[in-house]
């Protein structure tokens, strides 16, 4: 019997199969990455002891009411005014006694913190090592920030207290949050231009990190008012 | 031309070979498989996101859980009413189900890593993405946030449209 050549497999339909798969993936997947606003919720603690007292001058009150109107320190304001108002209060360049305390940061206090973190790192076991290392790096970066920004590195003791009533709309809440963040961004941007001569978008990651230390975001959210 | 071909057989143009077509298509296919992620879930709610400028993007491969808040679509309003509802995965659920949903999600994240320790740390990093309709009342949102705190899922990402 003559040896029969086995016929070659026809690969012509391979393309069709691949196309089918391709179209399936195109339909079931999405390319756009969602952007969002991140928030770390406060941990739930069991004890109901009253919170530590806060000096009233350090609190910046912002409230959204049921009619989606915004009260800033008890006064009705437009949302566009929020960044400027918050900036003024955080900087407190005129040293007003009813505005948040802002004091100069000294090299010694940062050094104390570095030494403390070094000791923690030495004692840390394997599990805690990574986080201790991160803390030490952060405190060292803070010292570097002081060297770069000098007397502009001030510690502000402000807390932005964001409150809303139950009937307020989510959109207003997000807008308000956005405008508060804009205040911080603008503060950082101003300092970057003043000291480094570049705007926020032209900075390196480390410089951004340092500016975030200089103007630390401190927004606290009070529970919704019934 | 014809004088060169005189007396010779007419040459037939060879067809374009399609043998490499599957390769090209497969390459496209792999590109899309890598560059995209599968759609999380279809929405049973009408969710119009608010806009904001100061936004960030989540790192790739961050484990996420999606919770949506909004009014049910017209078709589903007969069943669920027209009040603000909560959607977990594909179904409209109640507030009490959030905790179990998050626990399930964490368990499945943990199980998807062969190493138990890595799995546990990934589960801890889970971010809850809130897709909330902009007309939702804050009372409802804060109730959900309380549930999240109870379930100790503290990392929250409010999904918004970027820009004004």
């Amino acid at each position: 019997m003559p040896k029969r050549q086995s016929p070659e497999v026809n690969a012509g339909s391979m393309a069709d199969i691949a196309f089918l798969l391709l179209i399936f993936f195109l339909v079931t997947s999405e390319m756009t990455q969602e952007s969002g606003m991140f928030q770390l919720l406060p941990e739930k603690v069991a004890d109901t002891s009253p919170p530590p007292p806060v000096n009233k001058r350090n609190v910046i009150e912002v409230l959204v009411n049921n009619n989606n109107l915004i009260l800033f320190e008890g006064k009705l304001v437009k949302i566009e005014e929020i960044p400027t108002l918050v900036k003024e209060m955080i900087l407190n360049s005129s040293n007003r006694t009813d505005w948040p305390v802002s004091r100069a940061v000294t090299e010694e206090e940062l050094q104390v913190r570095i030494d403390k973190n070094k000791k923690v790192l030495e004692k840390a076991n394997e599990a805690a090592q990574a986080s201790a290392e991160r803390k030490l790096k952060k405190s060292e970066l803070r010292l570097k920030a002081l060297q770069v920004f000098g007397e502009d590195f001030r510690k502000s003791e402000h807390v932005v207290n964001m409150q809303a009533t139950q009937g307020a709309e989510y959109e207003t809440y997000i807008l308000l949050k956005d405008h508060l963040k804009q205040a911080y961004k603008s503060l950082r941007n101003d300092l970057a231009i003043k000291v480094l001569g570049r705007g926020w978008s032209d900075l390196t990651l480390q410089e951004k990190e340092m500016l975030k230390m200089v103007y630390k975001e401190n927004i606290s959210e009070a529970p919704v008012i019934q | 031309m014809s004088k060169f071909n005189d007396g010779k057989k007419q040459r037939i143009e060879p067809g374009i070979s399609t043998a490499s077509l599957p390769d090209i298509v497969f390459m496209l296919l792999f590109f899309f498989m890598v560059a995209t992620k599968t759609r999380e879930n279809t929405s049973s709610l009408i969710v119009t996101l608010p806009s904001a400028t100061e936004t960030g993007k989540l790192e790739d491969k961050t484990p996420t859980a999606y919770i949506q808040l909004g009014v049910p679509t017209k078709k589903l309003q007969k069943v669920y009413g027209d009040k603000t509802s909560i959607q977990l995965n594909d179904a409209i659920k109640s507030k009490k189900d959030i905790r179990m949903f998050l626990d399930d999600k964490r368990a499945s994240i943990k199980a998807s890593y062969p190493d138990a320790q890595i799995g546990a740390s990934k589960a801890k990093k889970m971010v809850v993405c809130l897709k909330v309709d902009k007309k939702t009342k804050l009372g409802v949102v804060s109730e959900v946030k309380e549930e999240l705190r109870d379930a100790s899922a503290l990392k929250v990402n409010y999904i918004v449209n970027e820009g004004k």
Side-chain angles (χ1 to χ4, degrees), chain B residues 8 17 48 54 63 78 89 114 162-163:
Chain B
K8 279 183 197 149
S17 163
T48 319
E54 303 308 304
K78 290 186 197 99
N89 281 341
E162 214 170 349

Side-chain angles (χ1 to χ4, degrees), chain A residues 11-12 14-15 17-23 25-45 64 66 68 164-175 177-179 181-182 185 221 223-224, chain B residues 21-22 25-26 28-29 31-33 35-40 50-60 66 127 130-139 141-142 145-146 148-150 153-162 164:
Chain A
M14 189 78 121
I17 297 167
F19 261 123
L20 219 71
L21 278 170
L22 177 66
I23 289 162
F25 272 96
L26 278 176
V27 170
T28 58
S29 62
E30 52 189 315
M31 195 121 180
T32 49
Q33 217 190 0
E34 287 157 324
S35 47
M37 279 167 127
F38 189 79
Q39 188 195 3
L40 197 64
L41 297 177
E43 217 165 314
K44 200 139 203 175
V45 278
V64 191
N66 278 347
N68 299 316
T165 52
Q166 209 174 18
E169 269 171 18
Y170 176 70
E171 188 181 22
T172 323
Y173 165 84
I174 287 290
L175 263 181
K177 222 175 172 43
D178 195 37
H179 279 79
K181 279 175 189 271
Q182 276 173 22
K185 193 182 178 186
E221 251 174 68
V224 172
Chain B
L21 193 59
V25 177
F26 266 117
L28 273 173
L29 175 65
F31 168 73
F32 274 101
M33 280 170 75
T36 62
K37 63 177 192 177
T38 49
R39 207 164 287 228
E40 282 287 331
S51 308
T53 53
E54 303 308 304
T55 57
K57 286 195 168 80
L58 282 183
E59 255 177 70
D60 275 354
Y66 277 84
V127 176
L130 287 179
K131 280 186 165 177
V132 183
D133 185 77
K134 57 185 182 183
K135 294 284 174 241
T136 310
K137 299 280 180 238
L138 267 184
V141 182
S142 79
K145 270 156 74 180
E146 275 310 300
L148 293 180
R149 284 178 69 193
D150 281 335
L154 301 175
K155 298 191 172 90
V156 174
N157 195 27
Y158 303 97
I159 304 290
V160 293
N161 288 330
E162 214 170 349
K164 278 272 165 236

Side-chain angles (χ1 to χ4, degrees), chain A residues 142-185:
Chain A
R142 197 169 275 124
L143 188 64
K144 199 177 167 208
L146 181 63
Q147 284 152 6
V148 174
F149 296 111
E151 59 180 6
D152 284 310
F153 192 171
R154 298 175 72 82
K155 187 174 167 52
S156 173
E157 273 157 36
H158 76 276
V159 182
V160 179
N161 189 24
M162 197 176 154
Q163 263 189 321
T165 52
Q166 209 174 18
E169 269 171 18
Y170 176 70
E171 188 181 22
T172 323
Y173 165 84
I174 287 290
L175 263 181
L176 179 59
K177 222 175 172 43
D178 195 37
H179 279 79
L180 290 175
K181 279 175 189 271
Q182 276 173 22
Y184 285 101
K185 193 182 178 186

Side-chain angles (χ1 to χ4, degrees), chain A residues 79-99:
Chain A
I79 195 147
E80 293 81 21
E81 298 171 49
I82 291 280
T84 344
L85 291 168
V86 173
K87 257 173 84 177
E88 263 178 16
M89 276 188 84
I90 292 174
L91 281 174
N92 195 8
S93 43
S94 50
N95 278 321
R96 278 178 63 161
T97 48
D98 53 343
W99 280 6

Side-chain angles (χ1 to χ4, degrees), chain A residues 122-149:
Chain A
E122 277 164 25
K123 282 183 204 151
N125 56 6
E126 215 170 304
Q129 190 125 29
S131 86
E133 235 165 73
R134 223 176 301 133
K135 262 193 182 150
L136 178 62
K137 266 208 187 113
K138 225 175 161 182
S139 55
E140 281 167 353
L141 191 62
R142 197 169 275 124
L143 188 64
K144 199 177 167 208
L146 181 63
Q147 284 152 6
V148 174
F149 296 111

Side-chain angles (χ1 to χ4, degrees), chain B residues 3-23:
Chain B
K3 71 175 175 191
F4 293 110
N5 271 342
D6 271 351
K8 279 183 197 149
K9 217 167 75 185
Q10 194 79 33
R11 230 174 89 192
I12 303 162
E13 278 287 320
I16 298 166
S17 163
T18 55
S20 55
L21 193 59
D23 301 346

